[in-house]
Amino acid sequence: MATTVRRSTLTLPAAPAGPANPLPTLLPLDEAHTLDERQRAALPADMARQIGYAPLRSPLPTPLLDGYGRTRTPTTLDTLVLENDRLRATVLPALGGRVHSLFHKPTGRELLYTNPVFQPANFALNGAWFSGGIEWNIGATGHTPLSCAPLHAARLPAPDGGEMLRLWEWERLRDTPFQVDLWLPDGADFLYVGVRVRNPHDRPVPVYWWSNIAVPEDEHTRVLVPADETWNFSYERKLRRIPVPEWDGADRMYPLRSEYPGDYFYELPDGTRRWIASLDGQGRGLVQTSTDLLRGRKLFVWGHGPGGRRWQSWLTEPGTPGYAEIQAGLARTQLEHVRLEAGEEFAWLEAYGPLETEAGTTHGTDWRAARTHAAGRLEEALPRAAVDAAYAGWRPLADAAPEGEPLAAGSGWGALEVARGGYVLPGTPFPEESLGDEQQPWLELLMTGRFPEGGGAPGPSLVSDAWRDQLECAPDGPLTHYHLGVAQWHAGDRAQAVRSWERSAAAAPEPWTLRALAVADLAEAGTGVRRDRAADRLLTAAETAAEREPSCADGQLLVALVREAVPALLAAGRVSEARRVLERLPAAQRARGRFRLLHARVLLAEGERGAARAVFDAGVEVDDLREGDEVLTETWSAVCAGEPLPARYDFRMRPASGA
């Protein structure tokens, strides 16, 4: 059959991603992949430099997505399907362009781990993320804020004359437009993926890219890669160089032979072909290879311990098989960012397809023989020269204009940036018609020099240097000062941000401005005075929002404020006020796991240990539990000292001795 690109649908049990949090994320979420200065000093100089280069201050300007739950109902998702006579790739354009499935027709095998449900969880830089398939991670260390966001999509001719699918968007953390071109050459067993990240600015930008591939996992699964050493990163926040494949008495290339979740970033020698494969007990599975620019390869494992297995069931339907991730990136580790010069671009080609080996060799004890055999089988199936030739054939088409009507629509933020910066980006159009309600106030600022000072919530803030300059030149107004303060805070000018927020609050003491000032207090809470003032401001903000939303069953502003106010009030020792503000929530919101957990903490502070225990006995599901967050363990220990943590609450990703 001729290679085609077509629209289709997929029905899955799904929990909606929910509304965005209306409050800007002024501080980073607890990103587990960080190292202190002492550890960085012991690393190779180039790695240490890239780890220290432009760490993310916060997920701004992207909104926090924490409005999802865990109630799943059958939901129809739009898909885009690429198909030839050998492979069928199913893409989810509204969910970050995720490749949900890669099905090999001759063998009848699914090459990826395909999650049977859509269940958001708190793993992305801005919250909501889901597991399975192939995801395109761009922006900064962690899962992309585009995990649950739509991308633009269109059809255009492939290098071999067939059809190609282009996905593209404006990545907002670093202001870098990117594209992902997917095609299946006629009769080929491999999906080709051409990727380009551009820097249209007159300054360098930090770039992060990792392609994450979820693969099926069982006790026989083994990962192969052309390396003898790896950098192991654990949730104890330690990076150590260890041998491959065996370390500490176990072959770590089998994902289930590690106890705890962890990362293995492999040292691929210069000149070595870039590839990584995951094989089952029969020596069959998926291989990923690329042109040399995509230098890094990684294995992520959940491990066989109770915490990793609990996370696996949390992310899908309990009782279904688990997964591991093989990955490919621009740097050696995911702690690094790579400098992209002004006006330049990074581009490379990846290929994904089946690999069949002799199980006795690839699962044997001779590591060199195993990887050499797999490399040979890869060369037979897809020669390295063929990948380089496919890249050369694709590059002239990277600027080609998409044809026909769009297959899917992304956000309007790219169109706004193009209007502001006048960028010319052949191949990735950001049309004016994509501008929506969220962009309109900023478009008015751009066109008139004035930010609209209408009533209601302020909407999303923009924080780049260019938009901060626009706000600084705009006439005074409470919303203008508020957004300017957010941009100043993001730039690291905290004192000036506080002054802007104080001017905004003096003109209109809105809940969001009081909350911003409270965050500033908490960030510098070295004294009880700052802590108390933060608690006062959050209490006032929450109660003001409650007065405005007395009948709203899911008023997102109130929900967001209560979530922050209760811990701040408890930390200040103001337990009765913490209870009072928690009870401001409608009953439907108080029933959510996050607020049931806060209720247990209030009860504990009141000395009602038995009542707090009853909350746990009745069951608590914290929908937005963060990767690596130990709040359940800590609260259980405080409530039920000495009792073992029940399996349902065990999300620990590191040994207890490291706590």
Side-chain angles (χ1 to χ4, degrees):
M1 62 177 292
T3 302
T4 60
V5 175
R6 58 184 170 85
R7 287 191 177 98
S8 188
T9 59
L10 172 70
T11 300
L12 294 177
N21 190 312
L23 299 175
T25 309
L26 297 173
L27 300 173
L29 302 185
D30 185 21
E31 171 50 47
H33 293 80
T34 57
L35 293 178
D36 59 31
E37 291 286 346
R38 180 177 54 83
Q39 287 199 69
R40 280 167 37 196
L43 298 175
D46 61 333
M47 182 185 291
R49 182 175 63 254
Q50 291 190 158
I51 288 175
Y53 174 45
L56 199 66
R57 295 190 181 99
S58 79
L60 285 171
T62 61
L64 179 62
L65 298 178
D66 61 357
Y68 51 85
R70 293 190 57 79
T71 300
R72 297 190 285 266
T73 58
T75 304
T76 299
L77 305 175
D78 290 332
T79 65
L80 298 171
V81 178
L82 295 85
E83 190 165 12
N84 66 6
D85 58 346
R86 310 283 294 178
L87 281 175
R88 181 170 62 247
T90 303
V91 177
L92 303 174
L95 295 170
R98 182 83 56 101
V99 179
H100 172 74
S101 166
L102 187 60
F103 183 76
H104 188 235
K105 297 179 183 181
T107 59
R109 287 193 290 123
E110 173 58 55
L111 300 179
L112 304 174
Y113 166 78
T114 60
N115 198 330
V117 305
F118 172 70
Q119 176 56 64
N122 194 356
F123 279 72
L125 288 165
N126 64 335
W129 169 87
F130 65 105
S131 65
I134 306 171
E135 57 178 305
W136 317 112
N137 283 300
I138 182 173
T141 299
H143 291 281
T144 176
L146 294 165
S147 294
C148 293
L151 302 191
H152 299 280
R155 182 188 288 109
L156 64 165
D160 65 349
E163 292 189 333
M164 181 165 68
L165 172 63
R166 175 164 297 164
L167 307 167
W168 73 97
E169 217 353 319
W170 189 279
E171 196 290 304
R172 301 177 66 203
L173 296 180
R174 307 299 196 181
D175 276 333
T176 48
F178 72 99
Q179 69 191 73
V180 178
D181 289 353
L182 305 98
W183 75 98
L184 294 168
D186 188 28
D189 281 307
F190 282 80
L191 171 68
Y192 286 173
V193 182
V195 182
R196 178 166 64 164
V197 180
R198 288 192 272 198
N199 177 9
H201 308 291
D202 58 2
R203 66 184 189 283
V205 296
V207 171
Y208 172 95
W209 182 282
W210 283 81
S211 302
N212 289 13
I213 309 130
V215 291
E217 164 218 73
D218 63 26
E219 67 271 21
H220 303 296
T221 301
R222 195 185 202 195
V223 171
L224 296 177
V225 65
D228 289 313
E229 293 182 306
T230 184
W231 293 91
N232 169 240
F233 185 85
S234 69
Y235 283 80
E236 298 167 273
R237 303 194 179 189
K238 295 178 181 177
L239 185 67
R240 52 197 164 195
R241 196 170 189 162
I242 62 174
V244 173
E246 290 195 15
W247 177 66
D248 198 22
D251 186 332
R252 303 293 170 168
M253 305 309 290
Y254 289 89
L256 284 175
R257 295 187 186 177
S258 293
E259 183 175 3
Y260 291 97
D263 302 321
Y264 296 90
F265 300 104
Y266 299 104
E267 280 281 6
L268 275 62
D270 290 342
T272 301
R273 183 176 185 181
R274 311 303 189 190
W275 64 271
I276 188 168
S278 174
L279 305 177
D280 64 17
Q282 287 73 49
R284 302 179 306 181
L286 176 135
V287 64
Q288 187 270 0
T289 187
S290 72
T291 48
D292 289 351
L293 182 67
L294 204 65
R295 64 172 296 186
R297 292 299 185 274
K298 172 194 164 183
L299 166 64
F300 168 77
V301 302
W302 287 107
H304 66 257
R309 305 330 292 171
R310 182 69 182 102
W311 272 116
Q312 288 262 33
S313 66
W314 183 256
L315 296 172
T316 184
E317 289 284 6
T320 57
Y323 74 97
E325 285 183 1
I326 56 175
Q327 305 181 15
L330 283 173
R332 278 185 289 185
T333 75
Q334 288 175 335
L335 288 72
E336 301 169 68
H337 299 93
V338 181
R339 182 184 175 102
L340 180 58
E341 299 298 337
E344 298 297 322
E345 61 186 41
F346 288 142
W348 64 91
L349 185 127
E350 305 180 43
Y352 298 81
L355 186 67
E356 295 205 12
T357 66
E358 294 177 5
T361 301
T362 50
H363 287 272
T365 56
D366 187 330
W367 173 245
R368 182 171 296 276
R371 72 182 202 217
T372 300
H373 172 65
R377 286 294 176 89
L378 170 60
E379 187 66 17
E380 293 172 7
L382 183 65
R384 184 177 188 177
V387 174
D388 292 338
Y391 172 73
W394 166 71
R395 282 300 278 131
L397 298 180
D399 283 345
E403 296 184 345
E405 66 178 58
L407 296 174
S411 77
W413 296 112
L416 181 68
E417 293 300 332
V418 168
R420 185 199 57 75
Y423 304 118
V424 177
L425 300 169
T428 55
F430 294 98
E432 287 186 19
E433 53 267 28
S434 65
L435 292 163
D437 292 343
E438 288 187 323
Q439 292 82 41
Q440 287 305 316
W442 298 94
L443 189 62
E444 183 171 336
L445 173 64
L446 181 65
M447 298 303 180
T448 69
R450 178 186 297 274
F451 194 90
E453 292 286 343
S461 296
L462 297 183
V463 296
S464 69
D465 292 349
W467 287 109
R468 188 173 74 250
D469 290 345
Q470 293 273 346
L471 289 165
E472 286 176 342
C473 295
D476 290 347
L479 276 183
T480 303
H481 287 309
Y482 169 76
H483 286 299
L484 177 57
V486 175
Q488 291 165 332
W489 180 272
H490 183 72
D493 191 351
R494 293 188 169 186
Q496 190 59 53
V498 168
R499 286 191 284 272
S500 293
W501 288 330
E502 287 174 341
R503 285 193 289 270
S504 178
E510 297 286 4
W512 43 86
T513 309
L514 294 175
R515 178 264 183 177
L517 289 166
V519 170
D521 282 331
L522 291 172
E524 306 293 338
T527 67
V529 173
R530 298 291 292 268
R531 192 164 52 246
D532 279 339
R533 188 168 66 182
D536 284 337
R537 284 169 163 165
L538 284 169
L539 177 62
T540 301
E543 293 194 326
T544 301
E547 293 300 323
R548 294 181 182 180
E549 302 177 344
S551 61
C552 183
D554 61 348
Q556 293 307 305
L557 178 60
L558 176 60
V559 169
L561 288 168
V562 170
R563 175 174 172 162
E564 296 186 17
V566 172
L569 288 162
L570 289 176
R574 296 162 62 171
V575 181
S576 62
E577 291 169 313
R579 170 173 286 280
R580 189 177 82 209
V581 75
L582 184 60
E583 291 176 349
R584 285 286 203 169
L585 283 175
Q589 289 291 350
R590 287 202 308 274
R592 290 182 58 187
R594 173 64 62 179
F595 297 107
R596 287 177 54 75
L597 182 63
L598 287 175
H599 183 213
R601 292 176 61 186
V602 169
L603 289 167
L604 187 63
E606 291 173 335
E608 299 290 339
R609 192 178 301 271
R613 170 63 184 265
V615 173
F616 277 94
D617 290 344
V620 179
E621 284 198 325
V622 182
D623 307 340
D624 59 342
L625 187 68
R626 183 71 176 166
E627 171 191 16
D629 192 347
E630 298 178 353
V631 64
L632 277 172
T633 304
E634 294 164 356
T635 308
W636 172 267
S637 297
V639 171
C640 309
E643 293 189 40
L645 182 68
R648 68 186 298 184
Y649 299 131
D650 192 349
F651 291 88
R652 289 174 293 188
M653 302 181 81
R654 60 177 181 165
S657 61

